[in-house]
Amino acid sequence: MFLDFFRIWLRLSLRAYFKRFYWIDKECVPEKGPIIIASNHPSAFLDGFTATVFLKRPVHYITRGDVFKKPWAEKLLRSFRLIPIYRQEEGKENMHKNNDTFRACFDLFEKGGAIIIFSEGICIEEKRLRPLRKGTARMALEAEAKNNWKLGLKIIPTGINYTNPGQYGSEVFVVHDHAMEVCKYQALY
């Protein structure tokens, strides 16, 4: 109930904040079945909401693990469908926790769920794509392999760009591309 209200509030807020909101090929995001929305990350706070709040399905968000340190923060963040991912930059001692993250994502996919992951692994306000990290591919391939390549997981390449994300009245562009069926990469795996 609260998340539904929050989504409505976010939709209204984003429509009010941006002068124009261009959403290109939204129909490329299936309404059912397991998906990974693999996006760039040009604005730390806005990207997850901008790319997903207008979709007709719930989405879980892969988020920096260091914000989950305190028990109250972890409980709150998980209630908003955030899942921690741990990067080497935040300490190698936490990397083993990614096994739990991947298991949580696999469970979601097996139930037909959706996640968004920022495949660059870092947020820098630039108008270019930075090198992608291996997490998206690893998660997708392991999920399909775990399910004998019959899961039906798809990756939706997504690009987000803003004229100026920190300025009221700027414009935002969200572009989804056609789904990549992960099972087609079985031989390469």
Side-chain angles (χ1 to χ4, degrees), residues 39-56:
S39 181
N40 63 322
H41 201 11
S43 174
F45 181 71
L46 292 173
D47 295 341
F49 302 124
T50 302
T52 64
V53 77
F54 294 102
L55 295 177
K56 294 179 181 177

Side-chain angles (χ1 to χ4, degrees), residues 125-141:
E125 195 173 310
E126 293 179 336
K127 293 183 189 274
R128 69 179 183 89
L129 186 63
R130 289 171 300 285
L132 305 179
R133 298 211 179 167
K134 65 183 178 188
T136 305
R138 180 181 161 210
M139 182 183 295
L141 292 167

Side-chain angles (χ1 to χ4, degrees), residues 28 35 42 50 63 84 97 103 155 162 166 180 188:
C28 289
I35 63 168
T50 302
T63 307
K97 295 178 183 177
R103 273 193 292 280
I155 298 175
Y162 307 88
M180 299 167 48
L188 290 173

